[in-house]
Amino acid sequence: MIRRATAIIQHPGTHRVFRLRLRLRRMLFAAVLLAPASHGGLGLDRAGALGLRPDGMHRVRGQIGVAPEGDACPACATWSWLDVIGTNSGWSHGSVRALGNCRDEDGPAHRHRRPDPNPDWHLCVGMLPAVDRWGWIDAYRSIHPSSLSAVISAAALLLDGPEPAPAPVPAAPAMPASPRRQMSREEEEQILKRADELIARVEAILREFDTGR
């Protein structure tokens, strides 16, 4: 599930739906909290996940599993979500939006091996805050239990759906002396069409989140 959600987060077409990136990252973090230890998670029940506070997260973080690939790593998914809520706690909404629109580094590198860029997550009220339809993160209130159920349902939708298309590999930069290749209108239309198809597949996830809140 982490690999599938990461493919959507990384896809350029997802930039058009800022709140989707945030909710996908929150969904991955919720999955890490709820998944059994055999799957790299913490094995919490719903009440434990909703009641988790920063001090508790600090104590159990070392128990989160690590996968060989960074795009499927529970510890990396956790690192990314802590970066989001830490930024939301100490910076502006614009900073959160800028962070949400950033793609993770390509390749096998693991994010969780780096220091936390925004340790202000230690100041958060809860680890699973509400995210409204405009992408605002509630710094003072955790999601409702029914919303967590909607997140779990969305995760099941993601697992049962088709495999998301991987993000296109960026072309190697041209040599300074070489002319820059221009994208044709047909190529641009094909890229936008693929992006629209990707967003259409995850609209069901957004609907689950909105109705669950």
Side-chain angles (χ1 to χ4, degrees), residues 26 28-35 41-64 78 81-82 85 121-130 138-143 148:
R26 186 184 62 180
L28 292 183
F29 179 70
V32 171
L33 299 184
L34 298 170
L42 293 175
L44 302 178
D45 57 19
R46 299 188 191 201
L50 291 172
L52 186 64
R53 299 294 180 261
D55 56 344
M57 184 66 213
H58 180 72
R59 289 194 300 270
V60 301
R61 190 175 179 183
Q63 302 172 23
I64 296 173
T78 299
W81 179 244
L82 295 182
I85 61 174
W121 67 265
H122 290 91
L123 305 176
C124 295
V125 173
M127 308 309 298
L128 285 172
D138 193 331
Y140 307 102
R141 181 172 61 92
S142 296
I143 59 175
L148 181 56

Side-chain angles (χ1 to χ4, degrees), residues 33 51 57 67 89 96 148 172 176 184 186 192 206:
L33 299 184
M57 184 66 213
S89 177
V96 177
L148 181 56
S184 67
E186 290 76 15
L192 292 176
L206 282 176

Side-chain angles (χ1 to χ4, degrees), residues 81-196:
W81 179 244
L82 295 182
D83 190 11
V84 169
I85 61 174
T87 301
N88 186 71
S89 177
W91 301 88
S92 66
H93 179 66
S95 299
V96 177
R97 179 175 289 275
L99 175 63
N101 285 333
C102 289
R103 298 174 65 188
D104 297 325
E105 294 179 0
D106 293 326
H110 281 256
R111 286 157 278 157
H112 75 269
R113 293 175 180 167
R114 304 196 297 265
D116 288 339
N118 286 292
D120 284 341
W121 67 265
H122 290 91
L123 305 176
C124 295
V125 173
M127 308 309 298
L128 285 172
V131 179
D132 69 16
R133 66 184 61 193
W134 295 281
W136 289 90
I137 301 176
D138 193 331
Y140 307 102
R141 181 172 61 92
S142 296
I143 59 175
H144 190 271
S146 62
S147 296
L148 181 56
S149 297
V151 172
I152 296 171
S153 298
L157 277 174
L158 183 62
L159 282 172
D160 292 339
E163 186 78 25
V169 178
M175 297 297 291
S178 301
R180 173 174 288 185
R181 176 182 178 275
Q182 297 296 321
M183 182 181 297
S184 67
R185 174 175 290 275
E186 290 76 15
E187 289 175 313
E188 182 178 357
E189 289 178 352
Q190 289 177 0
I191 292 175
L192 292 176
K193 180 180 178 181
R194 289 197 297 269
D196 288 339

